[in-house]
Amino acid sequence: MSLSAVLLAAATPSPSPSPSETAATVPSLQDAQESATNAASWVEQNWSTWLAIGLRVLLIVVIAAVLRMTVRRAITKLIDRMNRTVESVDGTALGGLLVNAERRRQRSQAIGSVLRSVASFVILGTAALMVLATFEINLAPLLASAGVAGVAIGFGARNLVTDFLSGVFMILEDQYGVGDQIDAGVASGEVIEVGLRVTKLRGDNGEIWYVRNGEVKRIGNLSQGWATAGVDVTVKASENLDRVKATLDSVTEKMSKEEPWNELLWGPIEVLGLDSVLIDSMVVRLSAKTMPGKSVTVERELRWRVKRAFDEANIRIVGGATANPVDDAADPTEAVAAPSVYSNSDSPQVAATSPLSSQRPGTR
């Protein structure tokens, strides 16, 4: 670089920063007044719109709350009326046999809980959508997302949904309740608790079965209406049928008049006649309608009375479908085996098996 260029660069002055760049911009009083004026004018122009939106939201919330309270109260009154009807029927003589208060109470509580939950979901959900629509929010993406989420949850928890829906319809249709003896296919026993998802059964050996409502494909209720007690009596084919029938008639007539069997029996015990006739035995069948769940008790008592009456009348009961013939006197020597032929030393069999005697030398 030449000397003239260096001197020229040193003589050129550098630009100085302006005051506006070095100092921060401070708003003036006039700017603040303009901002406040603009805000006040915006509020003045839009206050009516915001007030209308607020009043509309408040009206929707109040109507939803009042409607929900009214519907829940109406459902509660309906359930209380159902319980009072059950209590009035339970006070009668027939009601004590047909109505289970605990079963009706659980059923009414389950129905009330389902109805209240459904009513709250529908009312509050509709109110929420109306509030969002008041703020001019586009609900199409929200509804589409909710639909997709509902489908995903339905596929993921389909067993839970199936159990819940099955429990709801089971309770509404009153298929079974607490105290009933049922056969659910996967398990059988006495119902001790009914839920919307699971039913608890007490088995014959005391075990508790937890049965999912969605897994039950068929229900056999042994406690509704009436039960049938059936007893088969097998006697020898040589017995007098008239004497057998007369003995059974006296037993059934006496049992039907005694307590507590006259309350458990809902009809006369009928001697239906011969159910089957075999070579050496015949089967006489008895049948009666009983209180639900009491058929086994009636059958045991009836067998007890028939056995005692037949013993007094000298009528022999034989077991099995075909009775084994019994001889008058058994030969005691039949169980003893015949003596062996080898026990006699002079028998030909012993001589044939004896060894040949050796010949002495010199003898022919």
Side-chain angles (χ1 to χ4, degrees), residues 263-297:
E263 297 179 357
L264 301 182
L265 292 170
W266 285 10
I269 304 176
E270 300 179 357
V271 181
L272 301 181
L274 290 178
D275 191 65
S276 62
V277 178
L278 303 176
I279 297 176
D280 48 8
S281 65
M282 53 186 177
V283 179
V284 182
R285 184 167 183 81
L286 291 80
S287 178
K289 289 184 179 180
T290 68
M291 183 187 299
K294 300 299 182 180
S295 59
V296 177
T297 305

Side-chain angles (χ1 to χ4, degrees), residues 89-209:
V89 175
D90 193 26
T92 62
L94 184 60
L97 299 177
L98 298 179
V99 180
N100 189 322
E102 180 65 18
R103 167 182 175 177
R104 298 295 184 181
R105 186 186 64 81
Q106 286 197 6
R107 178 171 176 262
S108 60
Q109 286 183 355
I111 294 175
S113 177
V114 172
L115 292 179
R116 282 191 288 266
S117 299
V118 171
S120 299
F121 177 79
V122 172
I123 294 173
L124 296 181
T126 304
L129 293 178
M130 293 178 65
V131 169
L132 294 178
T134 303
F135 288 102
E136 297 182 356
I137 298 177
N138 189 10
L139 300 178
L142 180 61
L143 295 177
S145 301
V148 173
V151 172
I153 293 174
F155 276 108
R158 57 185 180 273
N159 292 332
L160 181 62
V161 175
T162 302
D163 297 339
F164 181 80
L165 292 179
S166 299
V168 170
F169 283 108
M170 179 271 299
I171 292 175
L172 292 178
E173 295 173 0
D174 195 17
Q175 297 178 4
Y176 56 86
V178 175
D180 287 352
Q181 288 283 343
I182 67 170
D183 181 4
V186 294
S188 61
E190 180 183 356
V191 180
I192 59 177
E193 185 177 344
V194 178
L196 294 178
R197 192 181 69 86
V198 174
T199 299
K200 294 172 64 175
L201 303 178
R202 174 78 66 179
D204 296 334
N205 297 325
E207 71 277 11
I208 295 180
W209 297 97

